[in-house]
Amino acid sequence: MQRDLNAMSATEYDLVIVGGGITGASTAWDAALRGLKVALLEKDDFAHATTSGSSKLVHGGLRYLVNGELKLVRESLRERRIWENVAPHMVHPLPFVIPTYGWGMKGPFVLGIGLALYDLLSYDRNWLSDDDKKLPGFRRLSKGKALDMVPSLRREGLTGAMVYYDCQMHAPERLCLECIEGAVEYGADVANYAEVTGFTTEAAFGRGVKVTGVTVADAVTGETHTIRGKVVVNAAGPWADKTMAMADETPARQLIRSKGIHIITRDLSGDHALAIQSAIGGHFFVIPWRGHTIIGTTDTVFEDDPDKLGVTEKDIADFLRVVNDGLPGLNLKREDVIHFYAGIRPLVDTTPKEEEGSGKKDSYNASRAAEVYDHAPEEGIDGFISAIGGKWTTSRHLAEQVVDLALKKLGRQAKCETHCTPVYGGDMARLKTFIERAQRRFPHLAPDIVENLANFYGSRIDEVLATADEKPGEREALLKRLAPDNPVIGVQVVHAVRHEMAIHLDDVIFRRTGLGTLGNPGSALVKQVAELMGRELGWDETALANEMAGTLRLFETI
């Protein structure tokens, strides 16, 4: 994967995609597989915003049943199974425990009906090639067993618990990147740090205009480029309405931006997740993840610029009160918080016209359904499609709908193949067997190093390790751990720079290796990564210091 905006500006594309999060990545992957000439442009790094700021779940959305969104739940459950099949190294089953209280709406009878419907809607959940990925149906636990499993539960009125299954991602940033790498493998051209600043247009026959491309500011060189495309797709996530406004000052679609923060603590729940209701703050999850626990998420309307998103000390304090209300036995304190992060959910604003301007925006109850919007019929802007809203789990299907519409506009036909094509690192049979065989193939590497490589790169391990042999004399140093207690090795950093478009230190620390996703790995390790990158990118002492300072600031509250 090589970045070349000069070459891109000399090419005419069928599809130009604005946004390198999971929606844009899935769209590029789908379109490239269908034979379209694709360009993807991202103003920051790939997967840097909402895509990486999630709860790491691939789930059906059990609570959407309460809103009667059966179609969305069914879509999500089908897509959950597809992700398990096409990304077996990234998407794994996860048991959830939900406590029941009393015998009313929060009791076992009502919840049992909901979970029975959830299982019914996921009738195809075990149509999988890896038996280890299969998901059992729900089951009930007695009060005693519930407390044995989760001693921190609120005891007043507790009548037991239910156990059901969903899935989680090992590293959503890498799964997004693998969709992009898959697109590149099939001919797509992509660039990060390439901000779309406007559209190029021409008069359309009859009325309105036709979008013919985009203008792009290259944050690396400072140059401006024009990238031409027959259809432009707006997949900018929380920035989607701002992107629409570049084409029409009063776009026909608006977003509600919902801010969700997460905190990361020591391991609190073993191998099962908890779905907990708080009387003062709605529901939240307690999720085991890579030996730690993610607790999230909040859900509040965010009306500031998405570029200003961050986590404040007040955010953390307020959320800890909610968590301790829902699970009083935890008694979590600020010092228990190892790391934190925030994301913005871009929700389609369905506020009735008569309520606009009344301040009645509701992000918690807003639908997570997506919309594929053609700007031609209402706004007279042809060649422009926006993918709005949606959620991580359904991003692949959203992309399928976008590409279907793009093909219609292009007068072409081709069937979607992303539901049955492994992502860039997903071409394997049983994950457990793949890891065991990889550990035997690479006896010179410690088992935990090989397992980490398999989790992050899947079937592409050999490509990463081959980077260590690209220059004479590097191999021994690059195959060493970066830290004694960490499975990440130096070649992963170098591979990220040479082959995965990592440009800044935080690209590698957060989105290529996962070194920083569990909290600050320490200044010494950050410096070691910076020095490896600096040798590749020609950083002087000032650049290296700036990159380190900027990355370390990301572990602080705003």
Side-chain angles (χ1 to χ4, degrees):
M1 219 168 58
Q2 301 298 324
R3 185 179 186 278
D4 191 343
L5 281 165
N6 285 318
M8 292 176 72
S9 64
T11 305
E12 182 170 358
Y13 295 93
D14 296 314
L15 210 62
V16 174
I17 300 165
V18 182
I22 188 55
T23 299
S26 294
T27 303
W29 181 40
D30 187 330
L33 282 175
R34 298 204 221 183
L36 297 183
K37 185 60 179 172
V38 178
L40 181 144
L41 302 159
E42 164 55 51
K43 77 183 190 72
D44 204 287
D45 188 27
F46 307 123
H48 84 286
T50 298
T51 296
S52 60
S54 73
S55 300
K56 325 297 185 191
L57 297 178
V58 176
H59 66 114
L62 180 61
R63 77 179 181 90
Y64 307 150
L65 289 177
V66 178
N67 299 334
E69 295 184 278
L70 268 66
K71 183 178 179 182
L72 175 60
V73 174
R74 170 58 199 149
E75 176 194 14
S76 301
L77 291 169
R78 182 192 67 236
E79 294 300 305
R80 181 188 69 184
R81 172 183 56 80
I82 290 172
W83 281 119
E84 281 189 277
N85 267 329
V86 301
H89 60 306
M90 278 286 173
V91 181
H92 310 290
L94 180 64
F96 281 77
V97 176
I98 308 181
T100 58
Y101 289 91
W103 301 97
M105 292 300 294
K106 296 180 181 179
F109 180 71
V110 174
L111 185 56
I113 292 174
L115 287 171
L117 179 57
Y118 200 63
D119 281 352
L120 181 63
L121 290 170
S122 63
Y123 61 87
D124 56 351
R125 64 184 179 274
N126 291 328
W127 296 0
L128 301 166
S129 55
D130 185 344
D131 287 345
D132 294 336
K133 303 286 186 182
K134 292 185 176 179
L135 308 180
F138 81 95
R139 70 181 191 275
R140 183 181 174 187
L141 299 178
S142 67
K143 178 179 178 179
K145 287 185 178 179
L147 287 170
D148 286 343
M149 187 176 284
V150 191
S152 56
L153 289 175
R154 183 181 295 280
R155 294 175 177 247
E156 296 85 1
L158 182 69
T159 51
M162 296 289 189
V163 178
Y164 75 100
Y165 283 77
D166 261 315
C167 291
Q168 74 174 163
M169 292 174 278
H170 185 80
E173 307 86 358
R174 286 225 54 101
L175 182 49
C176 176
L177 185 65
E178 288 187 353
C179 292
I180 293 172
E181 289 180 303
V184 170
E185 189 173 43
Y186 280 85
D189 297 320
V190 305
N192 52 359
Y193 297 101
E195 181 175 4
V196 171
T197 57
F199 295 98
T200 59
T201 61
E202 63 183 28
F205 181 76
R207 67 182 183 92
V209 298
K210 176 174 174 53
V211 170
T212 58
V214 296
T215 53
V216 181
D218 187 343
V220 176
T221 65
E223 297 175 344
T224 299
H225 300 272
T226 298
I227 309 296
R228 295 171 296 142
K230 297 172 184 174
V231 176
V232 174
V233 173
N234 170 17
W239 292 267
D241 53 353
K242 294 178 178 292
T243 303
M244 283 187 272
M246 294 180 193
D248 189 317
E249 293 181 358
T250 56
R253 293 296 185 273
Q254 298 292 329
L255 294 179
I256 298 175
R257 296 179 182 85
S258 166
K259 175 180 177 179
I261 77 157
H262 297 78
I263 58 177
I264 294 181
T265 71
R266 66 187 186 279
D267 181 10
L268 297 174
S269 63
D271 61 357
H272 56 271
L274 311 176
I276 302 297
Q277 187 76 26
S278 165
I280 63 173
H283 86 284
F284 61 90
F285 294 124
V286 179
I287 305 166
W289 191 61
R290 292 165 53 191
H292 293 66
T293 293
I294 297 174
I295 306 178
T297 176
T298 60
D299 198 331
T300 55
V301 174
F302 185 75
E303 296 182 334
D304 207 343
D305 188 326
D307 288 313
K308 296 179 180 179
L309 179 70
V311 179
T312 67
E313 287 295 330
K314 184 178 184 301
D315 288 334
I316 295 174
D318 289 347
F319 189 41
L320 284 174
R321 280 193 289 273
V322 171
V323 174
N324 287 326
D325 174 71
L327 287 170
L330 286 181
N331 193 27
L332 287 179
K333 298 179 174 59
R334 177 63 179 87
E335 53 265 31
D336 294 312
V337 179
I338 300 169
H339 187 43
F340 46 81
Y341 62 92
I344 295 179
R345 306 173 193 86
L347 308 174
V348 180
D349 188 356
T350 55
T351 306
K353 290 287 184 183
E354 61 271 14
E355 293 183 14
E356 288 184 3
S358 67
K360 294 183 179 180
K361 305 292 185 186
D362 181 358
S363 61
Y364 183 79
N365 291 306
S367 175
R368 270 51 177 173
E371 180 181 1
V372 177
Y373 179 61
D374 183 351
H375 290 260
E378 289 187 40
E379 297 169 305
I381 305 172
D382 197 16
F384 186 34
I385 300 168
S386 286
I388 318 167
K391 55 183 213 160
W392 226 114
T393 305
T394 56
S395 56
R396 187 214 64 85
H397 186 229
L398 172 60
E400 180 180 342
Q401 297 169 73
V402 170
V403 179
D404 284 346
L405 179 56
L407 283 167
K408 184 177 179 181
K409 285 182 168 295
L410 293 168
R412 294 168 62 175
Q413 291 184 337
K415 290 185 178 180
C416 176
E417 295 185 1
T418 53
H419 65 289
C420 58
T421 303
V423 298
Y424 190 71
D427 190 8
M428 63 180 68
R430 189 183 182 205
L431 175 61
K432 181 180 178 181
T433 304
F434 177 84
I435 292 173
E436 290 170 350
R437 288 173 178 166
Q439 288 168 336
R440 290 196 295 271
R441 283 201 302 125
F442 304 111
H444 57 291
L445 297 175
D448 65 320
I449 290 175
V450 177
E451 183 173 1
N452 184 66
L453 290 169
N455 284 329
F456 273 84
Y457 306 97
S459 56
R460 304 288 180 150
I461 291 178
D462 295 80
E463 293 178 14
V464 179
L465 293 176
T467 303
D469 295 315
E470 288 177 344
K471 294 182 180 179
E474 287 188 332
R475 180 179 175 82
E476 184 177 351
L478 291 183
L479 296 184
K480 289 182 179 178
R481 297 176 189 269
L482 294 175
D485 59 346
N486 197 301
V488 177
I489 55 179
V491 71
Q492 294 177 250
V493 177
V494 174
H495 183 80
V497 175
R498 293 181 189 171
H499 303 291
E500 295 182 337
M501 269 185 222
I503 291 173
H504 293 291
L505 180 57
D506 62 296
D507 299 343
V508 170
I509 293 290
F510 288 98
R511 290 174 293 278
R512 300 300 187 279
T513 66
L515 278 167
T517 52
L518 292 171
N520 190 336
S523 297
L525 193 150
V526 171
K527 183 179 181 182
Q528 191 176 355
V529 175
E531 288 173 344
L532 277 170
M533 291 189 69
R535 285 198 289 271
E536 294 292 319
L537 296 169
W539 293 345
D540 58 21
E541 289 299 318
T542 300
L544 190 144
N546 288 338
E547 289 286 342
M548 283 190 62
T551 296
L552 290 171
R553 273 197 301 272
L554 298 175
F555 295 105
E556 302 171 359
T557 52
I558 60 173

